[in-house]
Coordinates of all heavy atoms in Angstrom, one line a residue:
M1 N 3.6 103.0 -114.3 CA 3.1 102.2 -115.4 C 2.3 101.0 -114.8 O 1.3 100.6 -115.3 CB 4.2 101.7 -116.3 CG 3.8 100.9 -117.5 SD 2.5 101.6 -118.5 CE 3.3 103.1 -119.1
M2 N 2.8 100.4 -113.8 CA 2.1 99.3 -113.1 C 0.8 99.8 -112.6 O -0.2 99.1 -112.7 CB 3.0 98.7 -112.0 CG 4.2 97.9 -112.4 SD 3.7 96.3 -113.2 CE 3.1 95.4 -111.8
Q3 N 0.8 100.9 -112.0 CA -0.5 101.5 -111.5 C -1.5 101.7 -112.7 O -2.7 101.5 -112.5 CB -0.2 102.9 -110.9 CG -1.3 103.6 -110.3 CD -0.9 105.0 -109.8 OE1 0.2 105.2 -109.3 NE2 -1.8 105.9 -109.8
M4 N -1.0 102.2 -113.8 CA -1.8 102.4 -114.9 C -2.4 101.1 -115.5 O -3.6 101.0 -115.8 CB -1.1 103.1 -116.0 CG -0.7 104.6 -115.7 SD 0.3 105.4 -117.0 CE -0.9 105.4 -118.4
L5 N -1.6 100.1 -115.6 CA -2.1 98.8 -116.1 C -3.1 98.2 -115.1 O -4.1 97.7 -115.6 CB -0.9 97.9 -116.2 CG 0.1 98.2 -117.3 CD1 1.3 97.2 -117.3 CD2 -0.5 98.2 -118.7
A6 N -2.9 98.4 -113.8 CA -3.8 97.8 -112.9 C -5.2 98.6 -113.0 O -6.3 98.0 -113.0 CB -3.3 98.0 -111.4
A7 N -5.1 99.9 -113.1 CA -6.3 100.7 -113.3 C -7.0 100.3 -114.6 O -8.3 100.4 -114.7 CB -6.0 102.2 -113.3
G8 N -6.3 100.0 -115.6 CA -6.8 99.6 -116.9 C -7.5 98.3 -116.9 O -8.2 98.0 -117.9
G9 N -7.2 97.4 -115.9 CA -7.8 96.1 -115.9 C -6.9 94.9 -116.0 O -7.4 93.8 -116.0
L10 N -5.6 95.2 -116.0 CA -4.7 94.1 -116.1 C -4.2 93.8 -114.7 O -3.7 94.7 -114.0 CB -3.5 94.4 -117.0 CG -2.4 93.3 -117.2 CD1 -3.0 92.0 -117.7 CD2 -1.3 93.8 -118.1
T11 N -4.3 92.6 -114.2 CA -4.0 92.2 -112.8 C -2.5 92.3 -112.6 O -1.7 91.7 -113.3 CB -4.4 90.7 -112.5 OG1 -5.8 90.6 -112.7 CG2 -4.1 90.4 -111.1
P12 N -2.0 93.0 -111.6 CA -0.6 93.1 -111.3 C -0.2 92.0 -110.4 O -0.9 91.6 -109.5 CB -0.5 94.5 -110.6 CG -1.8 94.6 -109.9 CD -2.8 94.0 -110.8
L13 N 1.0 91.5 -110.6 CA 1.6 90.5 -109.7 C 2.4 91.2 -108.6 O 3.5 91.7 -108.9 CB 2.4 89.5 -110.5 CG 3.1 88.4 -109.6 CD1 2.1 87.6 -108.9 CD2 4.0 87.5 -110.5
T14 N 1.8 91.3 -107.5 CA 2.4 92.1 -106.4 C 2.2 91.3 -105.1 O 1.3 90.4 -105.0 CB 1.9 93.5 -106.2 OG1 0.5 93.4 -105.9 CG2 2.0 94.3 -107.5
D15 N 2.9 91.6 -104.0 CA 2.7 91.0 -102.7 C 2.5 91.9 -101.6 O 2.3 91.5 -100.5 CB 3.9 90.0 -102.4 CG 5.3 90.7 -102.5 OD1 5.3 92.0 -102.4 OD2 6.3 90.0 -102.8
G16 N 2.7 93.2 -101.9 CA 2.4 94.2 -100.8 C 3.5 94.3 -99.8 O 3.3 95.0 -98.8
V17 N 4.6 93.6 -100.0 CA 5.7 93.7 -99.0 C 6.3 95.1 -98.9 O 6.5 95.6 -97.8 CB 6.8 92.7 -99.3 CG1 8.0 92.8 -98.4 CG2 6.3 91.2 -99.2
R18 N 6.5 95.7 -100.0 CA 7.0 97.1 -100.0 C 5.9 98.0 -100.1 O 5.2 98.1 -101.1 CB 8.0 97.3 -101.2 CG 8.7 98.6 -101.1 CD 9.8 98.8 -102.2 NE 10.5 100.0 -102.0 CZ 11.5 100.4 -102.8 NH1 11.8 99.7 -103.9 NH2 12.2 101.5 -102.6
V19 N 5.6 98.7 -99.0 CA 4.5 99.6 -98.9 C 4.8 101.0 -99.5 O 5.9 101.3 -99.7 CB 4.0 99.7 -97.5 CG1 3.5 98.3 -97.0 CG2 5.0 100.3 -96.6
S20 N 3.7 101.7 -99.7 CA 3.9 103.1 -100.2 C 4.6 103.9 -99.2 O 4.6 103.7 -98.0 CB 2.6 103.7 -100.6 OG 1.7 103.8 -99.4
D21 N 5.3 105.0 -99.7 CA 6.0 105.9 -98.8 C 6.1 107.3 -99.5 O 5.5 107.5 -100.5 CB 7.4 105.4 -98.4 CG 8.3 105.1 -99.6 OD1 8.1 105.7 -100.7 OD2 9.2 104.3 -99.5
I22 N 6.9 108.2 -98.9 CA 7.0 109.5 -99.5 C 7.5 109.5 -100.9 O 7.2 110.4 -101.7 CB 7.8 110.4 -98.5 CG1 7.7 111.9 -99.0 CG2 9.3 110.0 -98.5 CD1 8.3 112.9 -98.0
N23 N 8.3 108.6 -101.2 CA 8.9 108.5 -102.6 C 7.9 108.0 -103.6 O 8.0 108.4 -104.8 CB 10.2 107.6 -102.5 CG 11.3 108.2 -101.6 OD1 11.8 109.3 -101.9 ND2 11.5 107.5 -100.6
N24 N 7.1 107.0 -103.2 CA 6.1 106.5 -104.1 C 4.8 106.4 -103.3 O 4.4 105.4 -102.8 CB 6.5 105.1 -104.6 CG 7.2 105.1 -105.9 OD1 7.8 106.1 -106.3 ND2 7.1 104.0 -106.6

């Protein structure tokens, strides 16, 4: 859902500390 909102144009509040992995 966060990914969808970001793609739709709503800025996500994230810090990139937890990076993508096999689970996400």
Side-chain angles (χ1 to χ4, degrees):
M1 182 53 62
M2 287 291 291
Q3 179 185 332
M4 290 177 66
L5 293 175
L10 181 57
T11 302
L13 179 57
T14 63
D15 52 26
V17 172
R18 189 175 186 183
V19 297
S20 59
D21 57 26
I22 191 172
N23 297 295
N24 267 25

